[in-house]
Amino acid sequence: MTVQDTQAPGATGVILSEPAASKVKTLLEQEGRDDLRLRIAVQPGGCSGLRYQLFFDERFLDGDQTFEFSGTEVIVDRMSIPYLSGATIDFVDTIEKQGFTIDNPNAGGSCACGDSFH
């Protein structure tokens, strides 16, 4: 049995900005599948000890928490939620940088490349 909670955005979950939700919708449309949602996870690794993973997933795992932003579903597993609580995922598209960014109030610091945190 899969346990999942659907929550409104807030301090106890992740926040997906409007530009990020729009980009995820565009990417999902390009995939051509309606059973995928964005999974955000924290895994050991990187030069600071932990790194973020963002990927499309069709699975629901025990303890997953589900959040919805403008019709875009975001899933966070139970081991990652304490690290991501209150984090804001944004998408930037400028001449200097393009991609998803994570502003995480739980991160004590990050590496110079920005791919990992502690």
Side-chain angles (χ1 to χ4, degrees):
M1 179 176 175
T2 301
V3 177
Q4 58 189 19
D5 297 321
T6 301
Q7 298 185 359
T12 60
V14 297
I15 300 163
L16 192 66
S17 72
E18 193 60 42
S22 177
K23 184 64 176 180
V24 169
K25 277 185 189 179
T26 300
L27 293 171
L28 285 171
E29 287 170 3
Q30 290 173 358
E31 288 290 323
R33 293 176 54 185
D34 60 0
D35 64 333
L36 297 175
R37 54 208 54 81
L38 179 65
R39 182 175 290 278
I40 304 170
V42 172
Q43 298 290 320
C47 44
S48 288
L50 298 169
R51 64 184 176 94
Y52 300 110
Q53 288 189 321
L54 281 78
F55 57 96
F56 294 131
D57 198 353
E58 72 277 353
R59 302 167 300 150
F60 282 109
L61 306 173
D62 285 341
D64 278 352
Q65 290 191 16
T66 305
F67 307 91
E68 185 173 0
F69 303 91
S70 303
T72 301
E73 270 188 294
V74 176
I75 298 175
V76 181
D77 65 86
R78 70 173 149 208
M79 298 301 284
S80 298
I81 204 68
Y83 297 104
L84 295 169
S85 183
T88 300
I89 293 83
D90 195 10
F91 185 79
V92 294
D93 189 2
T94 66
I95 196 164
E96 295 173 340
K97 182 178 184 179
Q98 180 184 43
F100 289 95
T101 62
I102 299 175
D103 180 15
N104 189 348
N106 302 303
S110 63
C111 62
C113 67
D115 288 336
S116 67
F117 70 100
H118 64 271

